[in-house]
Amino acid sequence: MFSRTLGIVMGVLTTTALVVAIGCADAFGPLSLPGGVLAAIVAAATLGAAVGVTACLLTRRELDRAVRALTRHIESLRHEPLTCEPPPAPSWLRPVADHMAQILGDQRKRLDALTAARRELEIQLRIADAERRHAEAILQSISDAVLVTDAFNEVALANDSAARTLRFSLDGARHQPVDRVLRDPTLVKLIKDTRESGNARCHRQVEHHVHVDGREQVFDVTLSCVTNPQREVAGVVTILHDVTHDRELSELKSDFVSGVSHELRTPLSSIKAYIEMLIDGEAPDDKTRDEFYHIIQTETNRLSRLIDNILNISRIESGLSRIERTSVAMPEVIRDVIETMRPQAQARRIELNAHLDPGDCLVHGDRDLLYQALLNLVGNAIKYTPEGGRIAVDAGVDEAERTVFVHVTDNGVGIPEKDLPHLFDKFYRVEEHKKIAKGTGLGLNLVKNIVETVHGGGVRVHSRVGEGSTFSIHLPWAEEGR
Ligand code: ADP
């Protein structure tokens, strides 16, 4: 590098000497300097200029090469990870290269910090996404209808149950004004009022009626304010809990309590009255006394049947652990039932016959419960058959089905078709029959529970108004002894 610099200096000096020599030649004319000296100066100047030009060319080439290397290095950084290594450079370019390396180092640190921050954000985003999906899954699994609205009364979140109950499409509801999504002005008003109350601790509970598929449903609606970190109201969470069934059940229960009280009071009052008459000597002859005793016996039986029904229902509903199973011959049970019910049938001049298959009608079950089920069926047949009617109890074995069947057929009032699907519901009574006989609507429900839940069998009914009814039960036969 030094020799090149010297070359350049020499070049410059000789060029200057050449210029001076030519100048002198011009100024003093051809005779002022001896020809040999001038020629020597010109030759030296020419040589110096040639050396200077060559040095310049070499320096230029070296400069080009260094700049190219530096450019290549910078270009390579586009594709390769940032490095703090100083780029290759000649010593005269070193300060630039070092400065560049330092800038690169700083940039690398910033890039590393940004990469780490981006990774952290990605992790947080993934966690937030998983938490959001988890929260949505929880929201969807809630059977209550849940609707969340924001500070602008727009739908922020809702679950399937809300969409079903309040009849809107979940897809298009998000970020839509609540009054455009819900077609229930009362509920919309409740939501808006709650938000506008501005009370962060606002929590309201109201009863609300909604028509779903032509049926009125009752909901307990809870509206709670959602607050932001500044404790301002940022939205409202509305939860609709369906209490229709609870209401129906509590109505049924109170109907049941009043029905049962009435049913208990009627035979009790009758028993009390006849006993008082007997004590007061109001039955002077044996015939009257027998009549009174008979009434007392019938009413006592009625009372005990009612109490048995209630107790058996609670026995079945409290679990099957208290069921005692033995091998039960159904014809024997039927004979006992007919024996018990015959006086009642005779009192109303109703013919009561049994046609029992001599085959092996054995069932593995609870004798008392099976007796109770048949007693209810025969009791109903007597209750809903006018005086002078006919009742037949048939029992046999269905080889193909491997079941024992019992049919109780009457030629009584029959059951309207619309009532047939509900007949086995608890407390259900046919409206038209309420005048014909007293009842609680528990008997058939108990029959169904005994036959289906306890014994794994089935109950069917076939009936025509004015012609009569047939109630059939099928029970799996007992395998032992076959
Ligand atoms: P209840 O105590 O009212 O008799 P059940 O559960 O035994 O209660 O019967 C439910 C309803 O089914 C009765 O109220 C009656 O309307 C109808 N029902 C039951 N058995 C007969 C029948 N053999 N003939 C006509 N209707 C019947």
Side-chain angles (χ1 to χ4, degrees), residues 376-377 380-381 383-384 410 413-415 423 428-430 433 438-445 469 471:
N376 285 355
L377 291 182
N380 277 349
K383 271 199 318 195
Y384 302 105
D410 64 61
V413 293
I415 300 159
L423 217 58
Y428 191 83
R429 300 201 68 210
V430 176
H433 294 175
K438 293 192 185 92
T440 53
L442 284 177
L444 287 183
N445 179 264
S469 314
F471 284 83

Side-chain angles (χ1 to χ4, degrees), residues 230-376:
Q230 290 77 45
R231 306 289 303 148
E232 295 157 349
V233 176
V236 177
V237 177
T238 309
I239 301 172
L240 288 93
H241 177 63
D242 190 348
V243 289
T244 319
H245 187 63
D246 297 354
R247 293 292 150 90
E248 282 171 357
L249 215 64
S250 75
E251 264 172 43
L252 283 176
K253 275 183 184 159
S254 65
D255 283 359
F256 170 69
V257 170
S258 65
V260 165
S261 326
H262 177 78
E263 279 291 289
L264 289 172
R265 204 177 309 119
T266 315
L268 256 180
S269 328
S270 158
I271 293 165
K272 191 171 167 245
Y274 281 98
I275 289 175
E276 275 171 8
M277 282 196 277
L278 282 170
I279 292 170
D280 294 347
E282 286 179 36
D285 52 275
D286 284 353
K287 191 171 167 281
T288 318
R289 268 197 296 278
D290 276 355
E291 208 180 297
F292 282 14
Y293 289 141
H294 181 69
I295 293 170
I296 290 169
Q297 188 189 30
T298 312
E299 292 299 304
T300 314
N301 286 342
R302 193 175 142 194
L303 204 59
S304 90
R305 263 203 309 281
L306 178 65
I307 291 167
D308 282 349
N309 272 346
I310 296 167
L311 289 180
N312 280 322
I313 284 183
S314 75
R315 188 174 150 199
I316 293 171
E317 285 185 348
S318 69
L320 301 181
S321 56
R322 290 161 61 202
I323 310 295
E324 284 162 26
R325 290 173 204 273
T326 54
S327 189
V328 183
M330 286 308 281
E332 278 178 28
V333 182
I334 293 168
R335 267 186 225 108
D336 285 355
V337 169
I338 288 184
E339 196 88 344
T340 312
M341 298 309 280
R342 195 173 295 285
Q344 236 170 285
Q346 274 171 351
R348 303 191 58 223
R349 293 188 298 105
I350 291 172
E351 225 179 89
L352 180 56
N353 293 313
H355 309 284
L356 306 177
D357 189 330
D360 213 354
C361 297
L362 275 187
V363 167
H364 183 68
D366 186 308
R367 193 187 192 283
D368 288 351
L369 289 181
L370 290 169
Y371 173 85
Q372 179 79 56
L374 290 176
L375 199 73
N376 285 355

Side-chain angles (χ1 to χ4, degrees), residues 5-16:
T5 315
L6 194 69
I8 292 168
V9 172
M10 270 180 69
V12 170
L13 286 177
T14 48
T15 308
T16 315

